[in-house]
Amino acid sequence: MILQALHGYYQRLLERGEPGLSPFGYSPEKISYAILLAPDGRLVDVSSIRDHSGKKPVPRLLNVPQPEKRTVGIKPNFLWDKTSYVLGVSATSKRADKEHEAFKALHLQILAGTDDPALKALLAFLSIWNPERFKAPPFNEEMRDANLVFRLDGEAMYLHERPAAQLARARLLAGAGNEGSATGECLVTGEHLPLARLHPPIKGVNGAQSSGASIVSFNLESFGSYGKSQGENAPISEQAAFAYTTVLNHLLRRGEHNRQRIQVGDATVVFWAEAADADEAATAESLLGDMLNAPPDDSQEAGRVREALEKASKGRPLRDIDPKLHDETRMYVLGLAPNASRISIRFWQTGTLGDLAQRLAQHEADMRIEPVPWKTAPAARRLVLATVPNREGAMPKMDDAFNNLAGELMRAILSGGLYPQSLLANTLMRIRSDGNLSGMRAALCKGILARQRRLGINTNDEEVPVSLDKQSLNPAYRLGRLFAVLENVQRSALGNQVNATIRDRYYGAASATPASVFPMLLRNTQNHLGKLRKDKVGWAVTLERDIREIVEGLGERFPRSLRIEDQGRFAIGYYHQSQARFNKGDDANDSTPETDVADQGALA
Amino acid sequence: MAFGIKLYVWGDRACFTRPEMKVERVSYDVITPSAARGILDAIHWKPAIRWHVNRIHVLKPIRFESIRRNEVGGKLSAASVAKAMSAGSTAGLPNYVDEDRQQRAATILRDVAYVIEAHFELTAKAGPDDSVGKHLDIFNRRARKGQCFQMPCLGVREFPGHFKLLEEGEALPSSHGSLKGSRDLGWMLHDIDFEYGATPRFFRATMNDGVIDVPAWSSEEVKA
């Protein structure tokens, strides 16, 4: 279905005349110079067609006949190539003479008997060209190994754009098709056509080879079946193979104007809409893009995302935001990840815009925790960042994320299914080893538990509270709260200059094996309270009352150990209680909101 | 079809690999007819009969998950085995797994359940002792007891498939609500034509309220 959908998208874009999308047999390549020819084959000039608007001139992308897949063999391209092939001069290639011979031979063969004056001029040029001439102007050293195209002097069209050239190109393709490739039933279109043996490379997936990688490839012998080789294993027509790779390369292109591509962990995500016209598609795509990767600030986009999620969660149509948004617009989301010169599909989700918005709203609701640690919905990218080590003084790095986690998390968000099993364990492990319980991490714990409950798993547990719930009798939650209060007592008694607080030292043990830690912590707290009573009696009484109130709700004895889900609740309780003291206002005058807030700032 | 059977199959994981993404495996959304035939073959098969899958009922929502596994990149060539046999020595023959690792990703199905409706026909290899009734009885008896020649699997060997015979007249387990409506599943592998150079044959699969009608092997809709 993935290839079919991409093929369909290609057809729509082609009909719509999308700029930068090549028709069958052509591909956009970086071209630097055009050689101007006189009708008799004399060289008139060499003009630079690079883009000079920036600091450095950069090659322009031109739609030229698709390049050959080159590895070690000498394979000239049709009507364009680098200087070693076109002119026989190169700074790097040691066999430029052979390459030029091949270029010449190919064109003499294909263009023999042509009537087109421009193509005739090229033939004449090739027969009289001598690489020695490269040393004199109009050539210069900068041109070595750049890509060249041809143009007949006085005409606007490049040689490869001329109808006669396209005809010759079609003949060339048909000839190549007859030689080796078999025909068969195309898996994408269902028609009987010549099959692609090798598929064009896909460029732009982060972490994959820069020369491109393949979704459909059989690069080792154990990948084939039934004695079939290469493309015969997966019968896809030349034309369909071209279509899906071209449109995928188009979606994956880098640049700030491409809003259809985002990076989540190691997965490169592209998405597109199937809408009546280009405007509607673009609006839908930009909304989905913002929802998947919400800007963490108060910008206009962030506001739009908030509004869209609110509408979706209330079941209101998105049209209220923008008349160009339709709930029924079909959306496709594809997550790709590199793997050894191949590209694997991390996830693939289709659905209507309304459905996806609703699922994203559901995700936001599941993750919601108070006080809210973010300004806009928790995008997958930021959630993934919360699961990587937070080293002191360094920004969390996306590279540290577990490979599969990002993809699985995205799948869960887009499909409305369970969050990945490993996410809770991984988050708790990170909290313990970093000692940093940020709002984002608490929200992750809460979201995982809330979604499990909503989907009918672990229903015997009580609901996961969004904000501080003093009535909750869940022992893990209460212990989390108790731990936060004990930390607060220590902080109030000893100030903020403690080298290692009880959180730094005991958080892990307290959340996993409460019975072994809490009695000792409670004993020490009496010392802290004793000190506090001398300075601030009222505050000491308040804290003591808090402790009593929490302990009263606990059972006879502390649990020996907590299950992983309960450790999640512990984290939520801790977050709620420790944040609550900031909200009390006057009561909290002794404890300044310092480190915690700074930590969240880095993550939220 | 008086001699049709219904088999309920289920499992925790399944991978019905798409041919175009069989290196970094991606599963079809549902079981393919050839995988369903494989399950039936595992319970009872003889050269005298040939199974035909008529209909597939999808019972559980379609859910995906991705995993990575270590596999090998090469395979032993038949020629080098033949050489080793004639030379009477295995020198140079072994393939060391740890020197030929390939990590491959797979996007697989989670928690699947299907009902396979199928029948079989006698082939040219059927002798005078073979009759439809005899083979049907053998199949039913074996399936009822849970007997099989090898553990049936859901697409790949690592994912075993459990099965239970649905008796005639027994009600079908109900499909999950999310499967309501019509869904185009694209071109799907029907089976491999082993008599003509192992040619794959495809059909356009559509699912209506969780039910996929599989066209007959010889029908127009199945293309090679």
Side-chain angles (χ1 to χ4, degrees), chain A residues 456-476:
Chain A
I457 296 165
N458 289 341
T459 41
N460 50 353
D461 290 345
E462 63 173 299
E463 204 168 316
V464 194
V466 173
S467 56
L468 181 61
D469 178 6
K470 292 196 169 173
Q471 311 306 316
S472 169
L473 288 175
N474 183 294

Side-chain angles (χ1 to χ4, degrees), chain A residues 229-252:
Chain A
S229 77
Q230 296 296 353
E232 287 171 34
N233 280 291
I236 294 172
S237 64
E238 290 271 5
Q239 192 261 336
F242 175 83
Y244 91 83
T245 48
T246 306
V247 78
L248 200 51
N249 279 324
H250 182 67
L251 283 168
L252 284 167

Side-chain angles (χ1 to χ4, degrees), chain B residues 84-144:
Chain B
M85 283 170 77
S86 63
S89 144
T90 55
L93 188 63
N95 191 1
Y96 295 106
V97 177
D98 45 352
E99 288 165 14
D100 190 21
R101 280 257 183 263
Q102 271 300 311
Q103 193 168 52
R104 293 166 73 177
T107 300
I108 59 167
L109 293 169
R110 272 308 301 277
D111 197 20
V112 296
Y114 306 102
V115 170
I116 301 165
E117 275 189 59
H119 73 278
F120 60 83
E121 279 164 8
L122 294 179
T123 64
K125 288 193 178 141
D129 296 341
D130 289 309
S131 72
V132 170
K134 168 184 147 182
H135 285 289
L136 184 63
D137 283 348
I138 296 174
F139 179 87
N140 281 341
R141 189 186 70 234
R142 292 178 59 80
R144 218 170 268 141

Side-chain angles (χ1 to χ4, degrees), chain B residues 2 10 26 28 42 67 71 76-77 79 108 143 150 173 176-177 182 210:
Chain B
W10 70 97
V26 177
Y28 278 113
I67 52 171
E71 302 186 24
L76 288 184
S77 83
I108 59 167
Q150 66 253 351
H176 190 265
S182 177

Side-chain angles (χ1 to χ4, degrees), chain A residues 479 508-523 557-562 570:
Chain A
L479 286 173
S511 66
T513 52
S516 66
V517 180
F518 271 98
M520 183 265 294
L521 287 178
L522 283 172
R523 266 200 311 279
R557 55 172 71 89
F558 291 111
R560 239 173 228 295
S561 64
L562 292 180
F570 184 96

Side-chain angles (χ1 to χ4, degrees), chain A residues 217 222-223 225 342 345 408, chain B residues 22-24 66 73 103 107:
Chain A
S217 76
S222 66
F223 300 157
S225 291
R342 306 182 292 264
I345 310 287
E408 290 294 306
Chain B
K22 74 199 213 69
V23 181
E24 303 293 309
S66 31
Q103 193 168 52
T107 300

